[in-house]
């Protein structure tokens, strides 16, 4: 009976009360953390994916250039470092040493949250260092993955036909080569969204950022089992939903998959 009651509450969004944030409901606590995580890690992963994929296209199209021979290995080298180490290094250099950015939290404590330019600017300033650490740590992977797939695509008959038609190089690169080479990166992007909902766990801990990852650590420390259950459920459902959305996106990008669907 308890399990059936739990399932009934689950389908109505009732996840119980949080021990650590009593008497707040688990759904309310997760909803608050989810907003900060999507704003920080979500934007950072999207920026890293778009920028890394575009740089990978340019590196493969101009093989042997500085972007291919210098930038790609440099970003790959930075990506070999753990992202929480990059977060601590950036926090020490630009936050503690130079004082350019805040050291912790998502906004200044003397500001009241609201829809104002002052609050939005303060939130953006607090998010620069944690977002930059995620972008720098993941940019090399997207760039190398796109570059390698793009190189294989450049030797296909599709590209030869596009060149034979006399199409402009930019159109050949983006509409023919990049669109076909993008599919593996798009598939990986679905898994990267799981990293987002996991809250970029250690990065949020380093910056005391109030996202889902930071909430998960607090829940473990306080033995807040309802909150832990709710967080694991949300992360699992988010990964499944993200992969389903990516499958639909691949159907739109690749006509060959629609032909066999």
């Amino acid at each position: 009976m308890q399990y059936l009651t739990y399932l009934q509450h689950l389908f109505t969004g009732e996840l119980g009360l949080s021990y650590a944030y009593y008497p707040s409901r688990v759904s309310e606590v997760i909803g608050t953390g989810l907003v900060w995580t999507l704003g920080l890690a979500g934007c950072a992963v999207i920026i890293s994916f778009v920028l890394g994929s575009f740089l990978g296209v340019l590196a493969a199209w101009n093989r042997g250039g500085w972007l291919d021979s210098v930038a790609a290995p440099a970003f790959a080298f930075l990506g070999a470092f753990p992202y929480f180490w990059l977060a601590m290094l950036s926090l020490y250099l630009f936050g503690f040493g130079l004082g350019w950015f805040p050291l912790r939290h998502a906004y200044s404590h003397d500001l009241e949250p609201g829809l104002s330019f002052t609050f939005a600017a303060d939130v953006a300033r607090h998010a620069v260092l944690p977002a930059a650490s995620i972008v720098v740590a993941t940019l090399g992977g997207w760039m190398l993955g796109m570059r390698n797939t793009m190189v294989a695509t450049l030797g296909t008959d599709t590209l030869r036909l596009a060149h034979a038609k006399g199409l402009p190089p930019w159109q050949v690169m983006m509409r023919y080569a990049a669109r076909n080479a993008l599919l593996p990166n798009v598939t990986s992007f679905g898994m990267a969204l799981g990293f987002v909902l996991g809250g970029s766990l250690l990065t949020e801990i380093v910056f005391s950022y109030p996202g889902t990852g930071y909430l998960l650590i607090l829940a473990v420390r306080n033995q807040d089992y309802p909150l832990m259950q709710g967080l694991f459920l949300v992360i699992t459902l988010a990964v499944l939903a993200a992969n389903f959305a990516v499958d639909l996106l691949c159907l739109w990008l690749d006509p060959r998959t629609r032909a066999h669907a």
Side-chain angles (χ1 to χ4, degrees):
M1 290 301 297
Q2 284 181 337
Y3 182 63
L4 292 177
T5 304
Y6 167 75
L7 291 179
Q8 180 184 356
H9 289 169
L10 189 64
F11 284 110
T12 57
E14 176 57 58
L15 301 175
L17 298 178
S18 170
Y19 301 160
Y21 295 90
Y22 187 85
S24 298
R25 297 186 178 278
V26 169
S27 55
E28 296 173 356
V29 176
I30 293 177
T32 303
L34 204 57
V35 171
W36 293 112
T37 292
L38 290 176
L40 172 68
C43 292
V45 170
I46 291 174
I47 291 172
S48 178
F49 171 75
V50 173
L51 183 59
S53 298
F54 183 69
L55 291 177
V57 169
L58 295 180
W61 191 259
N62 302 289
R63 277 179 290 177
W66 70 271
L67 196 61
D68 186 35
S69 58
V70 177
F75 283 124
F77 176 74
L78 289 175
F81 291 99
Y83 61 89
F84 64 87
W85 185 85
L86 293 175
M88 290 189 292
L89 181 63
S90 62
L91 183 65
Y92 178 77
L93 291 178
F94 302 106
F96 182 77
L98 299 174
W100 291 353
F101 299 99
L103 295 176
R104 55 177 297 167
H105 209 54
Y107 56 89
S108 301
H109 293 288
D110 56 348
L111 287 179
E112 186 70 24
L115 298 177
S116 64
F117 177 78
T118 302
F119 179 72
D122 188 69
V123 168
R125 187 165 174 264
H126 279 75
V128 169
L129 286 183
S133 64
I134 296 174
V135 170
V136 171
T138 57
L139 187 64
W142 296 119
M143 183 177 179
L144 286 178
M146 188 66 185
R147 186 255 180 206
N148 294 336
T149 311
M150 183 80 172
V151 168
T153 306
L154 292 177
T156 59
D157 294 335
T158 305
L159 270 294
R160 297 190 185 96
L161 178 61
H163 285 295
K165 286 181 176 180
L167 297 176
W170 181 262
Q171 186 176 358
V172 175
M173 180 179 70
M174 298 305 297
R175 291 192 59 185
Y176 288 83
R179 183 172 179 177
N180 288 307
L182 188 62
L183 294 176
N185 261 23
V186 171
T187 304
S188 301
F189 183 67
M191 298 305 298
L193 290 178
F195 166 81
V196 170
L197 269 298
S200 308
L201 183 63
L202 295 177
T203 300
E204 290 186 356
I205 294 173
V206 170
F207 292 96
S208 298
Y209 205 83
T212 54
Y214 190 65
L215 286 177
L216 184 57
I217 290 297
L218 291 180
V220 172
R221 287 177 178 173
N222 294 291
Q223 297 183 0
D224 191 345
Y225 297 110
L227 183 56
M228 279 191 282
Q229 281 185 320
L231 286 169
F232 290 140
L233 178 65
V234 168
I235 292 171
T236 302
L237 294 178
V239 172
L240 293 175
N243 280 277
F244 179 70
V246 165
D247 287 340
L248 295 179
L249 182 60
C250 288
L251 281 174
W252 176 74
L253 286 173
D254 191 356
R256 294 170 297 182
T257 57
R258 294 198 297 271
H260 296 286

